[in-house]
Amino acid sequence: MAFFIYSISIEPVKDFLITPLEKFYFQPSELKGDVIIILGGGVYNSGSLKEDTVNRLLEGYMLYKKIKTPIILSGGNTEGKTGEVKIMARILKELGVNEKFIIEESKSRDTSENAKYVAKICKEKDFRKIILVTSGYHMKRAVIFFNDKGFEVVPYPVDFKRDGHYTVYSFFT
């Protein structure tokens, strides 16, 4: 049991397990869509965004700077925590994104609900082709849910976890 716990905690094994998920999609060279959708990745009880959320938000912001397309932020309040979408929206506004380009979806609690509630917003606004921003390991699952809602999905994976470069310390952390 101890060897198993050790094995799954070291970098090479982590990379081996996550690589099939992260290699499934790549960032597209051509970026065209009606809307950018950034999926939240969690918030700490302190009110600060978890690392996955920060990475997704930053990459989504940089994407917005390139194509100036509306953004839907999707993620809800779970376990009584501060709403991550409110925090994400505040950060985007502080970075200079005009609030008319920011749409908040804060009811969802998981990826399935992200797709469900975002679909309602997109239908109202006639957004059909979406650029979906989420972590590379999460993209395959997210695309399935959004495709099921009838969208033309342009996957834009970010927040890659695999490294592939190891030192002796990679076997001790």
Side-chain angles (χ1 to χ4, degrees):
M1 182 63 152
F3 179 74
F4 174 75
I5 292 171
Y6 162 75
S7 294
I8 63 171
S9 69
I10 61 175
E11 286 289 315
V13 173
K14 181 226 17 137
D15 284 356
F16 174 77
L17 294 172
I18 206 162
T19 295
L21 295 173
E22 290 192 339
K23 281 192 167 184
F24 204 79
Y25 290 105
F26 299 95
Q27 289 183 350
S29 56
E30 186 176 314
L31 294 167
K32 289 186 181 175
D34 301 321
V35 65
I36 298 167
I37 297 171
I38 305 172
L39 301 183
V43 63
Y44 292 108
N45 285 329
S46 65
S48 61
L49 299 174
K50 291 190 175 182
E51 293 80 8
D52 287 5
T53 306
V54 171
N55 291 335
R56 295 171 187 184
L57 184 63
L58 180 59
E59 293 271 0
Y61 168 72
M62 292 190 303
L63 180 58
Y64 163 81
K65 293 291 281 183
K66 292 177 187 173
I67 63 173
K68 299 288 192 228
T69 301
I71 300 169
I72 297 177
L73 303 171
S74 182
N77 300 337
T78 58
E79 303 167 20
K81 297 177 185 174
T82 305
E84 67 185 325
V85 166
K86 293 287 182 203
I87 299 167
M88 293 165 71
R90 179 182 49 80
I91 291 169
L92 287 179
K93 290 172 193 171
E94 288 177 12
L95 289 170
V97 177
N98 188 319
E99 64 183 79
K100 73 178 184 176
F101 283 96
I102 302 170
I103 303 164
E104 300 177 30
E105 182 288 298
S106 59
K107 295 178 190 172
S108 57
R109 294 169 292 157
D110 57 31
T111 311
S112 173
E113 289 185 359
N114 290 139
K116 174 184 172 183
Y117 294 121
V118 165
K120 288 181 183 180
I121 294 169
C122 288
K123 189 173 186 175
E124 291 170 6
K125 304 225 178 249
D126 199 31
F127 297 145
R128 295 183 183 143
K129 185 174 184 179
I130 65 169
I131 301 172
L132 184 60
V133 178
T134 191
S135 300
Y137 68 85
H138 183 241
M139 185 59 74
K140 188 173 181 181
R141 182 170 180 260
V143 167
I144 290 169
F145 284 114
F146 280 87
N147 275 336
D148 283 349
K149 297 297 179 191
F151 292 112
E152 180 181 347
V153 179
V154 177
Y156 195 85
V158 300
D159 184 39
F160 293 96
K161 304 293 185 193
R162 76 186 133 87
D163 185 10
H165 298 93
Y166 310 113
T167 67
V168 68
Y169 299 109
S170 302
F171 295 90
F172 294 107
T173 56

